[in-house]
């Protein structure tokens, strides 16, 4: 069965609203989770690294005030897209480290901003 | 800047053909190279390669890494229509364990 879940799996929202996406590790604890986004017909681009109990590390060009990341527990990281605009429409995927050599992707969240 | 480049970007073949997908990389702190298959949703894991010259095999798929020349190949023999997907190569970096992805190869298998 799935070891990482994401919620919601898809969301449609109006421009200017905020959307929260959750990434949960099931049955294991994860101190590190990564957030990626993927635009249509493009590859995955790392947005930020989320560490439990500390501030996320953002990649160059990703606005930390727009994409708020909270990793408040060892099984949950959330990504909030604030004041979403149509250009934020994308597929958002989390990746979770489960140990030295184990890693899992979540099933992804498709965000459409109208 | 860490970079992963895949080729070809797109490939169309007939069922039964053998295909070879390429991945080259330039990164500062290599830990491993991973191959994924992506259909409609999140990528599914195929292989993780850490050592040069050791072929990993799973059914009709196999992969090998050359750390001296900084590349990897993914082979698929006797292709089937179900192999149609985007194949992603990613390099994992030491320390932060970030993944840097290539652009992907869109493989289409025609019956």
């Amino acid at each position: 069965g799935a070891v990482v879940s994401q919620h919601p799996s898809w969301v449609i929202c109006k421009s200017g609203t905020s959307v929260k996406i959750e990434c949960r590790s099931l049955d294991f604890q994860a101190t590190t989770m990564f957030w990626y986004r993927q635009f249509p017909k493009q590859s995955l681009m790392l947005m930020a690294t989320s560490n439990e109990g500390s501030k996320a590390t953002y990649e160059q060009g990703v606005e930390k005030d727009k994409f708020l990341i909270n990793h408040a527990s060892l099984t949950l990281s959330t990504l909030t897209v604030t004041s979403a605009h149509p250009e934020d429409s994308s597929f958002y995927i989390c990746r979770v480290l489960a140990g030295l050599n184990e890693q899992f992707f979540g099933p992804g969240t498709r965000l459409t901003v109208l | 800047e860490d970079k992963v480049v895949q080729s070809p970007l797109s490939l169309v073949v007939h069922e039964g053909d053998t295909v070879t997908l390429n991945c080259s990389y330039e990164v500062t702190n290599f830990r491993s190279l991973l191959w994924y298959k992506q259909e409609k949703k999140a990528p599914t894991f195929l292989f993780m390669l850490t050592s040069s010259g050791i072929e990993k095999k799973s059914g009709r798929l196999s992969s090998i890494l050359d750390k001296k020349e900084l590349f990897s190949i993914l082979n698929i023999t006797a292709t089937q229509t179900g192999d149609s997907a985007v194949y992603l190569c990613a390099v994992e970096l030491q320390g932060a364990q970030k993944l840097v992805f290539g652009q992907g190869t869109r493989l289409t298998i025609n019956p």
Side-chain angles (χ1 to χ4, degrees):
Chain A
V3 294
V4 176
S5 70
Q6 275 186 244
H7 178 78
S9 53
W10 60 270
V11 56
I12 301 172
C13 69
K14 287 185 182 175
S15 194
T17 59
S18 292
V19 175
K20 184 191 277 190
I21 302 169
E22 293 183 349
C23 173
R24 282 182 195 275
S25 58
L26 311 171
D27 300 327
F28 68 95
Q29 294 181 331
T31 53
T32 304
M33 296 185 178
F34 301 88
W35 285 98
Y36 292 81
R37 66 180 162 187
Q38 185 177 33
F39 293 109
K41 297 199 192 293
Q42 292 188 29
S43 194
L44 280 76
M45 296 296 295
L46 179 64
M47 298 176 69
T49 304
S50 166
N51 294 299
E52 187 267 337
S54 63
K55 285 186 183 176
T57 306
Y58 289 81
E59 295 299 299
Q60 199 170 12
V62 178
E63 299 170 57
K64 64 179 190 317
D65 295 329
K66 180 166 176 67
F67 299 100
L68 301 178
I69 290 172
N70 186 308
H71 193 154
S73 82
L74 285 169
T75 59
L76 173 65
S77 174
T78 60
L79 167 68
T80 301
V81 184
T82 61
S83 187
H85 289 285
E87 57 266 29
D88 298 323
S89 298
S90 188
F91 191 50
Y92 291 85
I93 311 175
C94 67
R95 172 180 159 248
V96 179
L97 299 185
L100 204 56
N101 286 319
E102 282 208 287
Q103 48 189 295
F104 303 96
F105 278 100
T109 295
R110 190 162 297 285
L111 169 65
T112 303
V113 185
L114 301 175
Chain B
E1 187 192 334
D2 297 316
K3 201 162 56 169
V4 178
V5 176
Q6 289 184 246
S7 65
L9 294 181
S10 177
L11 185 57
V12 181
V13 300
H14 289 295
E15 207 167 16
D17 288 352
T18 292
V19 297
T20 298
L21 310 184
N22 303 294
C23 175
S24 63
Y25 61 92
E26 278 181 50
V27 301
T28 47
N29 226 346
F30 178 92
R31 183 170 191 261
S32 64
L33 185 144
L34 298 97
W35 284 97
Y36 293 90
K37 178 182 182 182
Q38 186 176 29
E39 296 172 271
K40 296 211 188 303
K41 290 217 162 182
T44 53
F45 173 78
L46 294 175
F47 297 110
M48 176 191 266
L49 303 153
T50 52
S51 303
S52 260
I54 298 173
E55 186 185 48
K56 292 230 174 167
K57 210 166 159 55
S58 175
R60 295 176 295 102
L61 277 67
S62 63
S63 184
I64 197 157
L65 172 67
D66 185 330
K67 287 168 80 172
K68 187 176 170 202
E69 300 298 328
L70 308 182
F71 79 90
S72 172
I73 58 171
L74 173 70
N75 271 326
I76 309 176
T77 58
T79 51
Q80 301 170 357
T81 53
D83 295 327
S84 296
V86 174
Y87 289 83
L88 296 166
C89 169
V91 172
E92 186 180 26
L93 306 182
Q94 288 278 11
Q97 291 181 271
K98 291 191 215 184
L99 283 184
V100 179
F101 279 87
Q103 324 92 300
T105 294
R106 184 170 295 276
L107 177 64
T108 304
I109 312 294
N110 287 328

